[in-house]
Amino acid sequence: MLTIDTPKKLPSVDRLANDPNNAFLVEEYGMPLVTQCVQTVLSEARRHILAGRTIEYASLIKLLSEETARAVQPSLRPVINLTGTVLHTNLGRAALPESAILAMVDVARGASNLEFDIKTGKRGDRHKHAEDLLCKLTGAESALVVNNNAAAVLLTLNSLAKGKEVPVSRGELIEIGGAFRMPDIMARAGCKLVEVGTTNRTHGTDFEQAIGPRTALLMKVHTSNFEIKGFTKSVTEPALAEIAHRHALPFVTDLGSGTLIALDKYQLPHETTVTEALEAGADLVTFSGDKLLGGPQAGIIAGQRKLIAKLKCNPMTRAMRPDKLTLAALQAVLRLYTNPARLAVELPTLRWLSRDVAEIEQLAGRLVTTVQNHCKGFKVIVAPTHSQVGSGALPIDRLESAALKISLPDRRRSGKSINKLAKAFRELPVPVIGRIADDALWFDLRCLEDENHFVENLRSLAIV
Ligand SMILES: *Cc1c(COP(=O)(O)O)cnc(C)c1O
C-alpha cells in the first residue's frame, strides 16, 4: 500500500483522474466533473498531510468516488417528514397518490394530447383535462387551473377588477408565508384595495358603505394561518354574497386551502368545502391544489362560466398556465374523489390526516428500541404529541398523535447535543426532519408509513 506523508508524494490531478480504478466514474459522469472532484479531494488530502497525518493512495480513490457521488446528488431530493405538520410548505406540501405519479410518468415520457382533440384531430384545450372533473365534483359551471393559488387570486383580481376598487375586511388582509400579502397582490393586480371594518369586527353595513361606482367585486379571504379570538365579527359568505348581488357585483372567495369533501366525515374539524362556498353564493372560488386537496402545486378557480371566460381571455392566463405533468397529476387526484369510499386509503394527505392515533402509537412502540440503539447516550421514549394540518388549513386545530421523543439525560457530561443529533438525522441518505421543542428532538410518526425504509436508512446514522 502506498502511504503518502508529504504533499509532494500526492499524485497529480491528471494521474488520479486517469487512474484506471476511476474509469467507471469518468464513463458515468464525464471528465470535467471528475477532474473538479479530484481537485477537491487532493486539496483536502494536502491539508490532512500538512496537519501531520498520512493518507493511503487507495483512500484517495475511495474519497474521489464519495466526492463524485456528492457532486451529482440532486439538490432537490426526498426527505422523511416527521415534523408533525402534514402539509409542510418547506417540505413540498402534499405527497401525491400513486395513480398521480403514474399519470405524470405516462405523459412525461413522450408526446401527449395536451392541446389536441383526438376525436376531431384539431387543436384542443389544455384546461379541459381538469375542468370536467372539477365541475362534476364541485357543482361549478366552469373551472380554470393555473400555477398556484397566488396566481389564481392575482388572475381573478386582474381580470375582474383592474383599475377598480375591491373592498376587503381589515381582518382578512393577511400575509401567508412566502411573501403572499393580500394588499400587495391587490396592488400588482392593478386594483385598489378599500379597507373595510376593523381588525376584529366587520359588519355588513361596512361593506354597503364602501360600495361605490368604482367597486369591481366583493371578496372574502380565508384567514388561513391565524385566528382572531374574542370580540370578533365577520360578515358571513351568504350575507356578503347577498350584498354583492344586490349591487350587481361578483362575489369572490379565496378559500386558501379549499377542500372538496366534508372533513368531519373523517373525524377532522370541518372546513368550508368548495361546493359549500359556491352554494353560499360565491361566483368564483380560488383554492390550492397542493393543500387539503392533496394534489400537485396548482391554483384552481371554479364558478360561473361567464366569469371564468373573462379570466381565460386575460393574457396573464398564458403566463400562469399549468404544465402537462401538473394536469396529469391533478386529473388523477380528482379522479380519486369520484370514489369517496376509497379516498382515505388512496390519497396520502387524507390518509395521514385521518390516521388513527392508536396506529401511530403502535408504530412508535415498534420503532422505539431500534432508534434507541442508534442513539447511544440519549433517551428515547414514546410520547403523546399533536400534529398540525399545515399550509394554513385548519390553523388552530391539533390532531392527537404519537412521537419518538429523544432527549439527553445528562447533558453536561456527555458533550452531546440535541442540535447535533438533529443534524445527524438530517445528514442521513434520506434526511429525517423532526422538530426541536423542550430540549428534545421530536419525531411525530403520523406521516411515516414505510417502516423498513426508515430503519434501513438509520443504519448510516453517525452521531458525534
Ligand atoms: C395558501 C394560500 C394562498 C396561496 O396559495 P398557493 O397555492 O401557496 O399559491 C392564497 N390564499 C390563501 C387564503 C391561502 O391560504
Side-chain angles (χ1 to χ4, degrees), residues 214-260:
R214 302 195 53 75
T215 307
L217 51 85
L218 293 191
M219 184 166 189
K220 184 158 181 83
V221 183
H222 191 288
T223 50
S224 288
N225 46 6
F226 80 111
E227 185 165 290
I228 301 175
K229 291 199 156 195
F231 186 57
T232 64
K233 181 170 189 330
S234 63
V235 188
T236 63
E237 266 110 338
L240 259 185
E242 190 276 318
I243 297 169
H245 295 156
R246 191 151 30 81
H247 292 85
L249 298 172
F251 172 50
V252 175
T253 306
D254 174 21
L255 282 177
S257 191
T259 174
L260 300 183

XYZ file of all heavy atoms in Angstrom, residues 214-260:
359
model
N -67.021 52.752 -8.488
C -65.771 52.153 -8.959
C -65.535 50.752 -8.387
O -64.513 50.128 -8.629
C -64.584 53.061 -8.613
C -64.735 54.467 -9.224
C -63.437 55.236 -9.197
N -62.323 54.513 -9.805
C -62.163 54.350 -11.107
N -63.035 54.836 -11.951
N -61.120 53.689 -11.570
N -66.477 50.263 -7.602
C -66.307 48.934 -6.994
C -66.437 47.847 -8.062
O -67.373 47.868 -8.862
C -67.369 48.707 -5.896
O -67.309 49.812 -4.993
C -67.101 47.416 -5.138
N -65.475 46.894 -8.061
C -65.494 45.846 -9.081
C -66.117 44.561 -8.579
O -66.820 43.858 -9.314
C -64.078 45.542 -9.552
N -65.847 44.213 -7.330
C -66.367 42.961 -6.781
C -66.206 42.983 -5.272
O -65.505 43.825 -4.721
C -65.615 41.753 -7.369
C -64.083 41.760 -7.336
C -63.530 41.241 -6.026
C -63.549 40.877 -8.458
N -66.850 42.047 -4.596
C -66.610 41.858 -3.163
C -65.814 40.573 -3.001
O -65.962 39.642 -3.784
C -67.917 41.769 -2.375
C -68.776 43.025 -2.295
C -69.883 42.840 -1.259
C -67.944 44.266 -1.966
N -64.973 40.587 -1.973
C -64.093 39.437 -1.820
C -64.000 39.014 -0.369
O -63.953 39.850 0.534
C -62.706 39.830 -2.317
C -61.746 38.676 -2.284
S -60.287 39.076 -3.235
C -59.519 37.483 -3.243
N -63.987 37.700 -0.154
C -63.728 37.175 1.193
C -62.476 36.315 1.122
O -62.309 35.510 0.216
C -64.921 36.339 1.662
C -64.754 35.855 3.100
C -66.092 35.518 3.741
C -65.900 35.054 5.177
N -65.773 36.173 6.118
N -61.574 36.547 2.092
C -60.318 35.797 2.107
C -60.277 34.926 3.344
O -60.507 35.402 4.459
C -59.102 36.757 2.116
C -57.812 35.967 2.047
C -59.186 37.739 0.963
N -60.003 33.665 3.137
C -59.866 32.728 4.255
C -58.643 33.134 5.064
O -57.544 33.237 4.521
C -59.679 31.314 3.691
C -59.785 30.239 4.719
N -58.811 30.031 5.662
C -60.741 29.319 4.947
C -59.180 29.015 6.432
N -60.346 28.567 6.014
N -58.821 33.411 6.356
C -57.682 33.845 7.176
C -56.886 32.604 7.569
O -56.913 32.162 8.715
C -58.160 34.586 8.428
O -59.149 33.770 9.050
C -58.755 35.921 8.076
N -56.156 32.097 6.591
C -55.569 30.766 6.694
C -54.773 30.472 7.953
O -55.032 29.502 8.642
C -54.666 30.540 5.495
O -55.456 30.364 4.363
N -53.747 31.306 8.213
C -52.805 30.852 9.231
C -52.951 31.533 10.581
O -52.057 31.492 11.399
C -51.371 30.984 8.714
C -51.159 32.344 8.064
O -52.035 33.196 8.112
N -50.001 32.548 7.479
N -54.067 32.172 10.805
C -54.279 32.716 12.145
C -55.774 32.830 12.406
O -56.598 32.691 11.513
C -53.611 34.089 12.293
C -54.394 35.233 11.708
C -54.966 36.185 12.541
C -54.585 35.346 10.333
C -55.694 37.241 12.004
C -55.318 36.394 9.805
C -55.876 37.350 10.641
N -56.093 33.037 13.668
C -57.487 33.234 14.007
C -57.563 34.295 15.093
O -56.787 34.269 16.044
C -58.099 31.919 14.491
C -59.582 32.047 14.749
C -60.291 30.706 14.874
O -60.420 30.008 13.850
O -60.701 30.359 15.988
N -58.467 35.237 14.925
C -58.657 36.244 15.961
C -59.753 35.732 16.883
O -60.810 35.303 16.420
C -59.071 37.608 15.343
C -57.998 38.066 14.367
C -59.290 38.645 16.429
C -58.367 39.340 13.621
N -59.456 35.755 18.177
C -60.442 35.234 19.118
C -60.978 36.359 19.988
O -60.328 37.381 20.164
C -59.802 34.162 19.999
C -59.480 32.902 19.214
C -59.292 31.729 20.166
C -59.561 30.447 19.411
N -59.747 29.317 20.243
N -62.138 36.151 20.571
C -62.695 37.123 21.497
C -63.821 37.911 20.859
O -64.718 37.330 20.246
N -63.757 39.245 20.982
C -64.820 40.124 20.498
C -64.660 40.317 18.991
O -64.010 41.249 18.528
C -64.726 41.462 21.243
C -65.854 42.401 20.932
C -67.182 42.039 21.126
C -65.580 43.670 20.449
C -68.213 42.924 20.843
C -66.607 44.563 20.159
C -67.926 44.176 20.358
N -65.205 39.380 18.232
C -64.989 39.417 16.784
C -66.315 39.338 16.044
O -67.312 38.847 16.564
C -64.127 38.222 16.309
O -64.855 37.019 16.570
C -62.798 38.169 17.010
N -66.276 39.835 14.811
C -67.415 39.647 13.918
C -66.923 39.748 12.486
O -66.131 40.616 12.155
C -68.494 40.706 14.165
C -69.697 40.510 13.243
C -70.875 41.378 13.632
C -72.150 41.047 12.884
N -71.998 40.523 11.524
N -67.359 38.801 11.682
C -67.087 38.949 10.258
C -68.395 38.706 9.534
O -69.335 38.144 10.099
C -66.025 37.947 9.806
O -66.503 36.641 9.971
N -68.465 39.158 8.314
C -69.704 39.014 7.554
C -69.681 37.635 6.903
O -68.697 37.257 6.285
C -69.828 40.133 6.498
C -71.198 40.109 5.853
C -69.565 41.489 7.138
N -70.749 36.894 7.076
C -70.790 35.531 6.540
C -70.823 35.566 5.012
O -71.186 36.585 4.407
C -72.046 34.772 7.025
O -73.186 35.462 6.498
C -72.103 34.711 8.537
N -70.484 34.413 4.434
C -70.481 34.320 2.978
C -71.858 34.647 2.369
O -71.938 35.461 1.449
C -70.015 32.936 2.508
C -68.536 32.873 2.206
C -67.751 32.061 3.204
O -68.261 31.886 4.345
O -66.641 31.611 2.871
N -72.937 34.008 2.863
C -74.242 34.300 2.248
C -74.607 35.794 2.355
O -75.150 36.362 1.408
C -75.225 33.451 3.063
C -74.392 32.375 3.660
C -73.043 32.963 3.906
N -74.253 36.419 3.492
C -74.586 37.833 3.666
C -73.789 38.696 2.687
O -74.339 39.605 2.058
C -74.304 38.260 5.108
N -72.497 38.385 2.542
C -71.661 39.147 1.601
C -72.139 38.948 0.172
O -72.188 39.897 -0.627
C -70.205 38.680 1.694
C -69.246 39.541 2.503
C -67.835 38.997 2.369
C -69.277 40.989 2.024
N -72.479 37.693 -0.141
C -72.960 37.391 -1.498
C -74.223 38.193 -1.785
O -74.379 38.772 -2.863
C -73.233 35.896 -1.630
N -75.100 38.254 -0.787
C -76.367 38.977 -0.964
C -76.096 40.463 -1.235
O -76.669 41.053 -2.153
C -77.235 38.765 0.291
C -78.673 39.251 0.175
C -78.807 40.743 0.468
O -78.155 41.230 1.444
O -79.530 41.431 -0.256
N -75.169 41.044 -0.451
C -74.836 42.471 -0.647
C -74.255 42.679 -2.052
O -74.655 43.590 -2.780
C -73.835 42.962 0.427
C -74.468 42.867 1.823
C -73.386 44.398 0.142
C -73.485 43.067 2.975
N -73.299 41.795 -2.420
C -72.659 41.919 -3.738
C -73.708 41.844 -4.843
O -73.754 42.709 -5.725
C -71.612 40.824 -3.913
N -74.559 40.820 -4.762
C -75.517 40.600 -5.848
C -76.560 41.717 -5.919
O -77.017 42.069 -6.997
C -76.161 39.217 -5.696
C -75.143 38.121 -5.858
N -75.289 36.860 -5.323
C -73.932 38.113 -6.483
C -74.222 36.125 -5.608
N -73.380 36.865 -6.305
N -76.926 42.262 -4.764
C -77.874 43.381 -4.764
C -77.287 44.571 -5.526
O -78.000 45.360 -6.121
C -78.222 43.759 -3.321
C -79.382 44.716 -3.189
C -80.182 44.558 -1.880
N -79.426 44.092 -0.731
C -78.654 44.871 0.041
N -78.511 46.149 -0.236
N -78.021 44.361 1.080
N -75.930 44.694 -5.501
C -75.286 45.785 -6.240
C -74.756 45.322 -7.601
O -73.917 45.991 -8.201
C -74.134 46.374 -5.417
C -74.591 47.102 -4.190
N -74.843 46.469 -2.994
C -74.878 48.418 -3.968
C -75.230 47.353 -2.087
N -75.267 48.543 -2.665
N -75.233 44.158 -8.034
C -74.816 43.585 -9.332
C -73.304 43.413 -9.441
O -72.706 43.667 -10.493
C -75.354 44.440 -10.487
N -72.678 43.003 -8.329
C -71.226 42.772 -8.326
C -70.950 41.283 -8.126
O -71.705 40.595 -7.440
C -70.573 43.536 -7.164
C -70.689 45.055 -7.153
C -70.169 45.604 -5.834
C -69.924 45.649 -8.332
N -69.855 40.788 -8.709
C -69.487 39.401 -8.422
C -68.949 39.272 -6.991
O -68.396 40.238 -6.453
C -68.373 39.094 -9.428
C -68.273 40.261 -10.337
C -68.944 41.424 -9.670
N -69.116 38.103 -6.410
C -68.586 37.826 -5.083
C -67.565 36.685 -5.196
O -67.871 35.606 -5.701
C -69.734 37.447 -4.128
C -69.247 36.959 -2.798
C -68.303 37.686 -2.063
C -69.733 35.769 -2.259
C -67.854 37.228 -0.828
C -69.294 35.322 -1.025
C -68.351 36.042 -0.314
N -66.336 36.972 -4.760
C -65.233 36.022 -4.911
C -64.750 35.567 -3.532
O -64.612 36.389 -2.632
C -64.058 36.693 -5.669
C -62.856 35.767 -5.736
C -64.490 37.116 -7.068
N -64.541 34.278 -3.359
C -63.987 33.780 -2.101
C -62.636 33.113 -2.365
O -62.548 32.213 -3.194
C -64.915 32.715 -1.464
O -66.214 33.270 -1.343
C -64.425 32.325 -0.084
N -61.610 33.586 -1.647
C -60.328 32.872 -1.695
C -60.322 31.914 -0.513
O -60.148 32.319 0.629
C -59.151 33.864 -1.594
C -57.816 33.123 -1.488
O -57.763 31.934 -1.884
O -56.839 33.729 -1.024
N -60.538 30.639 -0.818
C -60.631 29.640 0.248
C -59.259 29.246 0.792
O -59.162 28.602 1.822
C -61.337 28.387 -0.270
C -62.855 28.445 -0.396
C -63.366 27.142 -0.990
C -63.512 28.702 0.945
N -58.202 29.598 0.078
C -56.865 29.201 0.526
C -56.653 27.724 0.274
O -56.398 27.296 -0.841
N -56.837 26.943 1.335
C -56.622 25.508 1.205
C -57.694 24.874 0.324
O -57.395 24.228 -0.667
C -56.626 24.864 2.584
O -56.179 23.549 2.476
N -58.930 25.084 0.711
C -60.015 24.529 -0.089
C -60.054 23.021 -0.007
O -59.033 22.354 -0.122
N -61.238 22.484 0.237
C -61.369 21.035 0.245
C -62.620 20.673 -0.536
O -63.553 21.474 -0.635
C -61.428 20.481 1.688
O -61.692 19.083 1.629
C -62.511 21.165 2.510
N -62.633 19.488 -1.108
C -63.787 19.060 -1.891
C -64.720 18.195 -1.061
O -65.802 17.835 -1.515
C -63.320 18.273 -3.124
C -62.403 19.009 -4.103
C -62.087 18.111 -5.296
C -63.037 20.308 -4.569
